[in-house]
Amino acid sequence: MEDIEKMAEACMKDIDDDEDDSLEDDEDLLDTKVSSVPGSIEHTLEERINLYRMAVTNAKAAGETSKARRYERGLKTLQTMLASVRKGGKIDETEIPPPVACGVSGSPSRPPVPAASPDQHGECDRAVEISPISAEAVSVVMDPASNTKDESSGVASPPTKDILLERQKEYRMAALKAKQAGDIDQAKMHIKATDSGSGPAQPQTVLEALEQRMAKYKETFTQAKASGDERKARMHDRIAKQYQAAIRAHKADRPINFDELPAPPGRFFCSQKEDLYMYIFLCTCPLPFKTLVPFLNQQLEFLEGRKKQYMKAALQAKQKNDLEQAKTLLRAAKSLDPMIEAARSGKTVDVSKVPSPPGDEDEDFILVHHSDVQISEKAEEVYTQLTNLLKEQYEKCVTYSKQFTHMGNVAETTKFENMAEQCKKSLEILKLAQNRGLQPPKHHFEERTYRTVRIFPELSSTDMVVFIVRGMNLPAPSGVATNDLDAYVKFDFPYPSTDQPQKHKTSVIKNTNNPEYNQSFKLNINRNHRGFRRVIQSKGLKLEVLHKGGFLRSDKPIGTALLKLEKLETESEVREIVELMDGRKATGGRLEVRVRLREPLGGQDHQTVTERWLVLEEPQPRL
């Protein structure tokens, strides 16, 4: 009876129910099924699957495991979609994972594309000419009413739209091949041909790109919520909030890690992490192409300019027979090569790691000294004043340049470096004129306004420095004369906790009630820790001033002070003269204290500065 029951169960078994899903997921079988119609969704999915398989293989061969995993996830999504389409189901085309760079010079088989120019190896891909995309074909996609409909089936006939989409893919592939062959103009031409107006408008700024992507995720969140897909809704809501944070950071001029921002699904978005080939390959880019390319060029020019500075300095050192200095400068120049190569390949570079310009000890001009030259005392005084002003301007420009370098802002770094270079040349011209016995050059002052960011690059993000500057009019405790006061300052900073505060104290300054301390103490912090932010916002820094007791005598309290630290949210330094209190009563004494962070907790410390700027007038002495 058991055998009979098993046979009956086997006969009743629905073969389709058990085997259909496993067959549809079999990678080997997916390739053996009937070929799809070019231009159809099925054909697009098949092409995309081939592309992703190649990308996975190449990523694994290159040891890029994170890329391989990402491509495998996309491959699995594509295979699921293809299985659904072959069963007669519908899919959302905007959810199709975008094309990816394969990571090799060759490319998989594609529909016929425009002829590409020969590459550097003399090879050329043979292809047929593609006629331009017509305006009528574009209108079919843009205007749903223009699509014809088969009355008998009730389904819109897709040939015109499919042809347009197929043609668009061909132009994209042609753009990629032209880029790989080094023909940038041809690649740009093909990209323009694909810009038919379909899909979201191409963003013109980084902010527009971020807002466009956030809107896409919010839309997907709303759709998922409405359909009851809580998991998908939570995921897209979380990503939308990531973009909100990135937009806030961008508006505050803080750096953004674009690698952490996912790219929305669909053919009109591509991954932030793809290389420059993908910017040419796709119609729209993770950052707008028109904005990104000037930035990359600017970054490359900055790096190449810095290398030239070091090469020039090395040559000057060699001419002076200072071979050790020449070697050091040459090594610094060579250290920029990897960064330059990365910039040339379209990757962003951490500008904060670029070495500062070489020192200004090298003279750009040859000074001629005349023993018989005499200059009036008034002229000497003018020369001294002009020299001091130009030196001050030069040092200011160098400081601002270093600050913007640490922030990775290439444009502002270059701007202040150029200003510093102009000040340096003016100093040299001034020295040359003085040595020739000429009257001081004509000069005038201009009012210049520029925006700076206050930052202390010598500090790390985990540093907070407390400066105890001085005490003023400190009251002496009973039994101690004012000129016998031996005062010191101590403080407890209640972080990481009130039970484990960071404690410090100054040295003792003897026999004065106006002690000058000028001592600094470095504290260890975590800028993002809630406990630290709570101390900054509500507790502040408590200080106590004491008189040092003698042998077998205890120290006597003089007073306490509280320095509020809320300003560190928007400023990189708090500098206050705080009242010294005895309980709730003011003692008349005061304490000057400064607290400094690398940069404010809430963003960058922007300052608009307007200054009188010394400018030497033409004509200048001939060199």
Side-chain angles (χ1 to χ4, degrees), residues 412-569:
E412 292 300 314
T413 297
T414 304
K415 169 186 165 183
F416 282 106
E417 280 187 4
N418 291 338
M419 290 173 66
E421 188 65 24
Q422 186 59 48
C423 290
K424 182 180 173 183
K425 288 183 178 180
S426 296
L427 276 168
E428 295 298 340
I429 290 169
L430 204 64
K431 288 164 65 177
L432 181 60
Q434 186 175 9
N435 279 277
R436 287 182 173 179
L438 304 176
Q439 288 300 311
K442 289 184 179 181
H443 57 276
H444 68 275
F445 288 90
E446 297 176 354
E447 192 174 83
R448 293 193 179 180
T449 301
Y450 46 87
R451 201 176 184 205
T452 65
V453 175
R454 196 178 189 191
I455 185 175
F456 296 100
E458 71 276 7
L459 301 181
S460 74
S461 60
T462 59
D463 291 338
M464 184 173 85
V465 179
V466 177
F467 295 87
I468 309 297
V469 183
R470 58 178 174 151
M472 293 170 281
N473 196 31
L474 300 181
S478 59
V480 180
T482 300
N483 56 356
D484 290 334
L485 189 63
D486 300 338
Y488 70 94
V489 182
K490 72 174 185 178
F491 64 89
D492 294 357
F493 186 66
Y495 179 80
S497 67
T498 53
D499 297 330
Q500 296 177 313
Q502 298 180 62
K503 301 181 180 182
H504 294 280
K505 65 179 180 179
T506 68
S507 57
V508 178
I509 305 297
K510 295 186 176 183
N511 304 323
T512 179
N513 69 333
N514 293 292
E516 296 280 347
Y517 294 105
N518 294 315
Q519 288 184 255
S520 63
F521 307 92
K522 187 177 287 187
L523 309 181
N524 186 46
I525 63 167
N526 181 345
R527 295 168 59 95
N528 300 318
H529 192 270
R530 272 190 297 179
F532 172 71
R533 301 298 280 264
R534 189 163 50 247
V535 171
I536 294 298
Q537 293 165 2
S538 60
K539 295 186 178 181
L541 181 67
K542 295 179 181 178
L543 307 108
E544 186 176 4
V545 183
L546 301 100
H547 168 72
K548 184 68 176 176
F551 182 65
L552 297 179
R553 294 181 182 177
S554 60
D555 298 348
K556 294 183 177 181
I558 297 174
T560 59
L562 175 65
L563 176 64
K564 294 183 178 180
L565 301 175
E566 301 102 311
K567 289 183 179 178
L568 292 176
E569 289 287 344

Side-chain angles (χ1 to χ4, degrees), residues 29-163:
L29 292 177
L30 284 174
D31 291 335
T32 62
K33 297 193 176 182
V34 178
S35 59
S36 56
V37 178
S40 65
I41 294 296
E42 184 177 352
H43 186 264
T44 300
L45 291 171
E46 288 173 350
E47 280 195 329
R48 202 64 56 82
I49 285 172
N50 291 334
L51 194 63
Y52 269 76
R53 282 179 180 164
M54 185 175 293
V56 169
T57 303
N58 293 332
K60 287 181 177 178
E64 296 175 325
T65 55
S66 59
K67 268 191 176 182
R69 286 196 299 271
R70 187 172 76 249
Y71 294 151
E72 285 173 344
R73 288 195 296 270
L75 178 61
K76 188 173 181 181
T77 301
L78 289 165
Q79 289 172 339
T80 303
M81 287 181 167
L82 182 59
S84 176
V85 168
R86 285 177 173 169
K87 288 179 181 179
K90 293 183 179 180
I91 64 169
D92 185 354
E93 291 186 45
T94 62
E95 297 285 344
I96 298 176
V100 293
C102 296
V104 291
S105 58
S107 59
S109 60
R110 283 286 183 272
V113 295
S117 56
D119 60 17
Q120 58 185 352
H121 300 293
E123 296 177 353
C124 180
D125 291 321
R126 299 188 60 184
V128 296
E129 187 81 15
I130 294 182
S131 58
I133 300 174
S134 65
E136 292 80 1
V138 174
S139 67
V140 174
V141 175
M142 299 304 295
D143 183 9
S146 65
N147 288 328
T148 59
K149 192 171 186 180
D150 186 344
E151 298 296 335
S152 61
S153 63
V155 179
S157 57
T160 308
K161 178 179 177 180
D162 291 342
I163 292 171

Side-chain angles (χ1 to χ4, degrees), residues 279-498:
Y279 293 121
I280 299 293
F281 180 73
L282 296 176
C283 289
T284 57
C285 303
L287 296 179
F289 190 61
K290 294 178 182 177
T291 303
L292 182 67
V293 171
F295 167 74
L296 294 175
N297 290 338
Q298 187 182 60
Q299 180 177 258
L300 180 59
E301 289 172 5
F302 170 73
L303 293 169
E304 290 177 337
R306 183 59 51 84
K307 181 179 178 180
K308 287 178 182 177
Q309 288 177 316
Y310 273 97
M311 295 295 287
K312 178 183 176 182
L315 180 60
Q316 290 173 341
K318 182 182 178 183
Q319 290 171 346
K320 294 179 180 180
N321 292 322
D322 190 350
L323 297 183
E324 288 302 319
Q325 179 70 2
K327 289 178 182 177
T328 301
L329 292 167
L330 186 59
R331 280 195 294 269
K334 291 293 184 184
S335 70
L336 293 167
D337 286 345
M339 292 185 182
I340 291 173
E341 287 303 315
R344 283 175 178 163
S345 67
K347 298 176 182 177
T348 55
V349 175
D350 186 356
V351 180
S352 65
K353 295 180 180 177
V354 176
S356 299
D360 58 352
E361 65 274 7
D362 300 311
E363 302 293 341
D364 289 336
F365 304 97
I366 300 174
L367 300 184
V368 181
H369 298 275
H370 301 273
S371 58
D372 57 343
V373 167
Q374 292 184 350
I375 300 177
S376 66
E377 290 184 7
K378 184 177 180 182
E380 287 284 4
E381 185 178 339
V382 173
Y383 270 117
T384 302
Q385 291 174 349
L386 294 178
T387 299
N388 290 339
L389 285 172
L390 286 171
K391 282 183 177 178
E392 184 181 330
Q393 289 178 185
Y394 173 78
E395 291 169 359
K396 194 173 294 183
C397 291
V398 169
T399 299
Y400 290 147
S401 172
K402 288 181 179 178
Q403 289 176 352
F404 281 110
T405 299
H406 280 275
M407 293 166 52
N409 190 324
V410 176
E412 292 300 314
T413 297
T414 304
K415 169 186 165 183
F416 282 106
E417 280 187 4
N418 291 338
M419 290 173 66
E421 188 65 24
Q422 186 59 48
C423 290
K424 182 180 173 183
K425 288 183 178 180
S426 296
L427 276 168
E428 295 298 340
I429 290 169
L430 204 64
K431 288 164 65 177
L432 181 60
Q434 186 175 9
N435 279 277
R436 287 182 173 179
L438 304 176
Q439 288 300 311
K442 289 184 179 181
H443 57 276
H444 68 275
F445 288 90
E446 297 176 354
E447 192 174 83
R448 293 193 179 180
T449 301
Y450 46 87
R451 201 176 184 205
T452 65
V453 175
R454 196 178 189 191
I455 185 175
F456 296 100
E458 71 276 7
L459 301 181
S460 74
S461 60
T462 59
D463 291 338
M464 184 173 85
V465 179
V466 177
F467 295 87
I468 309 297
V469 183
R470 58 178 174 151
M472 293 170 281
N473 196 31
L474 300 181
S478 59
V480 180
T482 300
N483 56 356
D484 290 334
L485 189 63
D486 300 338
Y488 70 94
V489 182
K490 72 174 185 178
F491 64 89
D492 294 357
F493 186 66
Y495 179 80
S497 67
T498 53

